[in-house]
């Protein structure tokens, strides 16, 4: 089955009693046994639930993995993967990763005895140079947030394989419709389903997708033992959202390309970050490893923060809010919002300035989005 068909159908058929066309929600925390030896595949909802399982089967099929665990948030998906490793482990990650991931690594897991190197992942040779005898994992996020740097997953995976390391890729920014890390040699894929997979800004959730039996079993055990799984209702919402993933992503990226081109030609805009523009330094790599350029567009606004403060109140469509990937367009100022959990020096080292603005392009008509931004930029 093609991607769009899998989105609509895989895992969905879960009602042998009444043949409902959509997946029923099973909120039950526990399931009756037929006798001392026999249950019907589920015994307790922390460990497994039919509605959640439907979502997990669907997401595994979309990424091309063998298994998935749907978690309560993207952060709990990331925390689950960190439990594959023991204190003393060294992990290499990008210096411009999601702020919450940076905080989890640099604050919580560092205190627990883990060590991290945050490097410029655009340069695979820097990743290779950062490997120590304690390194167990390379953490990939591509495109990066908010500057849309692209990590060459095939190059990083081959470095990792040669050194016996696990690669984990956060695929939140593109969704499996536009990028499938397993095809480039990555071992584990994680998502914040809060973003494009659900797509309607009405649930927080996460997922860990595996393509090796050993990882699938360990992640299943960790998610159950730590109690990280999502609620049946949240699973149902994400399953509902994911059915329209393909058509939504097409609409999102059409708008993003139009907005990026508009910003590029505006005198108030010093720089546009969008991998779909031919002048993006990694445009060719994006074309090679992605099935599209996504819908996150960042730019540098001349005048910095005072100008940003003038622009925001003029906007009627773009809402000043964190998060991304919903049908409605959002505008984010990383320096005080999404990336404030990253220390100032780390932000500047990663290239985030007081001029940086991040847009999540929704599925509104591109003309209306451009008119809204034009009004803001004239301020
Ligand atoms: C939002 C996000 C996360 C965290 O997900 P939550 O659902 O907010 O816990 C992780 N990685 C990326 C790239 C994100 O955008």
């Amino acid at each position: 089955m093609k991607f769009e068909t899998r989105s609509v159908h895989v895992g969905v058929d879960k009602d042998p009693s009444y043949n409902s066309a959509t997946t029923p929600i099973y909120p039950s925390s526990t399931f009756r046994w037929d006798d001392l030896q026999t249950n019907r595949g589920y015994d307790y909802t922390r460990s497994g639930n039919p509605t959640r399982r439907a979502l997990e089967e669907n997401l595994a099929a979309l990424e091309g993995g063998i298994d998935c665990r749907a978690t309560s948030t993207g952060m709990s998906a990331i925390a689950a993967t960190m439990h594959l490793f023991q204190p003393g482990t060294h992990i290499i990650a990008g210096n411009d990763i999601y702020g919450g991931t940076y905080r989890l690594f640099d604050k919580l897991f560092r205190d627990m005895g883990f060590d991290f190197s945050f490097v410029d992942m655009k340069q695979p040779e820097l990743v290779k140079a950062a490997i120590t005898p304690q390194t167990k994992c390379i953490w990939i996020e591509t495109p990066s947030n908010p500057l849309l740097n692209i990590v060459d997953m095939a190059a990083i995976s081959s470095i990792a394989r040669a050194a016996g390391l696990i690669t984990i890729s956060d695929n939140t920014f593109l969704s499996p419709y536009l990028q499938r890390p397993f095809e480039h040699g990555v071992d584990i894929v994680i998502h914040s389903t809060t973003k494009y997979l659900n797509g309607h800004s009405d649930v927080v959730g996460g997922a860990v997708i595996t393509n090796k039996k050993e990882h699938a079993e360990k992640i299943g055990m960790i998610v159950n033992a730590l109690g990280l799984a999502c609620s049946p209702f949240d699973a149902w919402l994400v399953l509902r959202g994911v059915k329209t993933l393909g058509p939504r992503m097409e609409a999102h990226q059409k708008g993003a390309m139009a907005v990026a081109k508009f910003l590029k030609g505006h005198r108030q805009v010093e720089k546009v970050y969008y991998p779909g523009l031919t002048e993006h330094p990694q445009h060719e790599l994006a074309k090679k490893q992605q099935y599209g350029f996504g819908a996150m567009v960042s730019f540098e606004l001349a005048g910095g923060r005072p100008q940003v403060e003038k622009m925001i109140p003029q906007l009627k469509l773009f809402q000043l809010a964190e998060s991304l990937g919903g049908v409605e367009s959002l505008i984010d100022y990383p320096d005080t919002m999404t990336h404030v959990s990253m220390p100032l020096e780390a932000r500047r080292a990663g290239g985030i300035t007081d001029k940086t603005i991040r847009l999540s392009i929704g599925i509104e008509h591109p003309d209306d989005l451009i008119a809204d931004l034009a009004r803001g930029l004239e301020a």
Side-chain angles (χ1 to χ4, degrees), residues 167-325:
T167 43
I168 305 178
S169 185
D170 181 338
N171 203 26
T172 301
F173 259 43
L174 286 176
S175 90
Y177 182 72
L178 295 180
Q179 174 168 278
R180 295 189 278 280
F182 291 140
E183 294 171 359
H184 306 285
V186 163
D187 296 306
I188 296 175
V189 175
I190 74 98
H191 276 280
S192 167
T193 57
T194 312
K195 317 295 168 51
Y196 292 105
L197 286 171
N198 179 61
H200 294 76
S201 309
D202 51 13
V203 66
V204 290
V208 184
I209 301 138
T210 45
N211 71 350
K212 293 178 188 67
K213 196 158 174 279
E214 174 206 352
H215 295 153
E217 282 169 2
K218 276 194 191 153
I219 292 292
M221 197 280 273
I222 290 165
V223 169
N224 182 34
L226 290 170
L228 302 177
C230 68
S231 80
F233 184 63
D234 287 356
W236 184 85
L237 278 172
V238 178
L239 190 59
R240 185 179 192 262
V242 85
K243 289 176 191 175
T244 56
L245 179 65
R248 274 191 287 111
M249 293 314 292
E250 291 295 345
H252 278 294
Q253 35 176 17
K254 187 168 152 234
M257 183 60 96
V259 165
K261 285 186 174 157
F262 161 76
L263 289 172
K264 194 179 86 173
H266 200 285
R267 64 191 152 69
Q268 286 286 103
V269 176
E270 289 182 355
K271 192 168 180 190
V272 181
Y273 304 93
Y274 185 61
L277 296 176
T278 48
E279 59 267 41
H280 185 286
Q282 294 167 293
H283 176 68
E284 288 306 319
L285 174 59
K287 233 161 80 178
K288 194 177 85 184
Q289 79 178 7
Q290 303 174 191
Y291 296 107
F293 301 111
M296 299 304 294
V297 180
S298 296
F299 65 100
E300 302 281 310
L301 180 65
R305 184 164 171 174
Q307 203 54 41
V308 178
E309 279 169 357
K310 282 190 204 148
M311 174 185 183
I312 303 287
Q314 303 305 317
L315 301 174
K316 297 200 168 75
L317 283 175
F318 281 88
Q319 304 180 62
L320 180 64
E322 300 191 359
S323 198
L324 59 114

Side-chain angles (χ1 to χ4, degrees), residues 93-149:
N95 61 1
D96 54 357
I97 56 171
Y98 178 71
T101 309
Y102 183 88
R103 175 175 53 197
L104 179 76
F105 289 177
D106 195 52
K107 296 273 190 301
L108 245 72
F109 278 88
R110 211 186 267 288
D111 283 354
M112 283 157 55
F114 286 64
D115 189 19
F116 296 90
S117 295
F118 298 100
V119 305
D120 177 359
M121 286 262 219
K122 289 195 298 298
Q123 299 172 260
E125 59 285 4
L126 294 184
V127 173
K128 196 170 180 179
I131 296 174
T132 73
Q134 281 69 48
T135 310
K136 292 270 161 53
C137 167
I138 304 179
W139 185 269
I140 300 170
E141 193 182 310
T142 183
S144 74
N145 176 14
L147 298 181
L148 289 311
N149 292 314

